Amino acid sequence: MLDVITIGSATMDVFVESDDANIVSVYTKNKKSEFMSYPYGAKVEIEDFTSQVGGGGVNTACNFANLGFNTGVIFKIGDDIYSDGILESFKDKNIDLSNIVQDKKISTGFSIILVSFQGDRTVLAHRGANAQITKSDINFDAIKSAKLLYIAPLNGDSTKILDDIVNFANENDVKVCFNAGSSSLKKGFNYLKKILENAHIVVMNKEEAVMATQIQIRPDTKDEKFSQKFIHPDLKEIFKKLKVRDYQVIIITDGGHGAYAFDGKDYYYCPVYDGPVTSTLGAGDAFASTLCASLWKNGPDIGKALMYASVNSAGVVSEFGATQGLMTFDEIEQKLKENPNYTYKKGS
C-alpha cells in the first residue's frame, strides 16, 4: 500500500541564464508590472544552460519520497527523447512508476525557463501530454489503496478529471491535498467549490486565491479589530469563502512575503526562511507538498507545518533545479534548531 500518490505534470525543463536579460518595470495608475526583456533582433549569449526533469507531479513525488513516504506518481508523457529523460531520472528514486501513462501519439511536456539575475524566472511552457490526461488514464485502484492523494496543478483538458478523482478519493477515505492551478480556477468558483468540498488541505498562491474568489485585496484597507495585525482583512474574507468544510485547512502563499493559513478558528502567518536564491522554480511544489507531509506526519500543528514547508522551499530555491535542494525531515529540523528565532504568528 502506498502512503501517498501524486498526480500532476511531468516536463523536461531547460534552464537558460543570460546576463543580457533586463528587468523592465511598467507602472500604471493602479498597478506595477515587471517584464524580462532581451535586445530585439540580437543574438543573445547564454552564460549557463542545464536540463532538469520537473513538473508538479514529478516534483512533489520526489519530495514525498525524500521525506520518507512510500510514494507513487501518476502523470502522462509521450514516447520521445524527453520522456526517456524523465523516466531515466527516476531510476535512482524509490517511487512507484506503475501508474504512469505513455502515449506515442502526443509529445511530452517541455519547458524553457529563462532565469534572471535576481533568481526569478519566466517559463515558456509546452503542455503536451500534461494537458491530455483522461479519466481512462487513471488507475483508481491505486488511488483507493493510498492514504493520501496529492493533486498538483493540472492543465488544459486534464482539469476535467478533477471532480471524478476527488469524489472517488472521498468515497474511499483517502485524504486529499489540492494545490489549485490557474486552469481549474478559470472555470469559476462554482466549479472549484465542488473540488474544495472533498479536499482536506487546499494550497494556492495569493493571485490564484483572488482569481478563485473574485475578492480583491485593497491596498488601503485597515482592520483595527484584529489585534495581531499580520493579516489583511480582505485576505480573511478570501479564506472564509474558500473554506467550505469544517475539517479543511486553507493555505495561501505570498511569494517572498511568506504564507498564511486558516483552520476555521485561527489565522497563521509564517515568513519566508532566509537563504540564497538561485532559481524559484519548484519552490511552490516543495512548499505545498512539505506542508501536507508535515500535517500528516506531525498532526494538526499548522504553524510547525508552515515552518517546515518554508525551510524546504528555501532549500529548493538555493539550487538550480526544481527537485535539487530538497531536505529530509531531520535536515529541516536541524535548520530550525540552528535558527531558534525563526517562528510563525497565530491569531483569531
Side-chain angles (χ1 to χ4, degrees), residues 291-313:
L291 186 137
C292 293
S294 178
L295 288 175
W296 186 18
K297 180 177 185 289
N298 300 316
D301 190 335
I302 296 173
K304 185 176 184 178
L306 287 169
M307 293 169 65
Y308 274 41
S310 184
V311 170
N312 210 7
S313 181

Side-chain angles (χ1 to χ4, degrees), residues 129-317:
N130 294 319
Q132 301 182 49
I133 302 174
T134 65
K135 185 176 178 179
S136 61
D137 291 327
I138 304 300
N139 183 350
F140 284 89
D141 286 338
I143 294 176
K144 185 177 181 179
S145 69
K147 299 174 184 176
L148 174 69
L149 172 66
Y150 181 96
I151 304 174
L154 297 173
N155 308 295
D157 288 342
S158 297
T159 59
K160 296 177 181 178
I161 65 174
L162 271 173
D163 202 11
D164 289 325
I165 291 174
V166 294
N167 284 335
F168 180 84
N170 188 55
E171 291 168 359
N172 289 277
D173 297 321
V174 179
K175 304 296 184 184
V176 175
C177 184
F178 175 51
N179 187 357
S182 58
S183 293
S184 57
L185 299 179
K186 289 176 181 177
K187 295 189 174 186
F189 187 76
N190 288 336
Y191 167 82
L192 182 66
K193 187 176 180 181
K194 294 187 295 182
I195 312 301
L196 296 176
E197 287 174 345
N198 292 309
H200 297 76
I201 303 169
V202 178
V203 185
M204 60 182 72
N205 64 39
K206 187 174 71 173
E207 291 74 22
E208 291 166 342
V210 170
M211 182 191 304
T213 61
Q214 294 299 300
I215 298 174
Q216 300 297 320
I217 300 177
R218 297 162 293 177
D220 58 348
T221 302
K222 297 180 180 179
D223 186 356
E224 299 297 337
K225 295 181 180 179
F226 191 56
S227 60
Q228 298 291 330
K229 295 185 186 299
F230 62 80
I231 186 170
H232 196 288
D234 292 337
L235 193 58
K236 291 169 66 176
E237 293 305 312
I238 290 175
F239 272 121
K240 291 175 182 177
K241 186 170 183 178
L242 291 174
K243 187 172 170 57
V244 297
R245 294 292 190 193
D246 290 340
Y247 54 74
Q248 286 176 317
V249 177
I250 310 295
I251 296 92
I252 297 176
T253 61
D254 191 13
H257 299 292
Y260 302 84
F262 179 54
D263 61 4
K265 178 184 177 183
D266 295 309
Y267 295 94
Y268 300 79
Y269 167 70
C270 184
V272 296
Y273 187 84
D274 286 336
V277 177
T278 300
S279 170
T280 59
L281 193 73
D285 290 329
F287 185 95
S289 53
T290 303
L291 186 137
C292 293
S294 178
L295 288 175
W296 186 18
K297 180 177 185 289
N298 300 316
D301 190 335
I302 296 173
K304 185 176 184 178
L306 287 169
M307 293 169 65
Y308 274 41
S310 184
V311 170
N312 210 7
S313 181
V316 169
V317 303

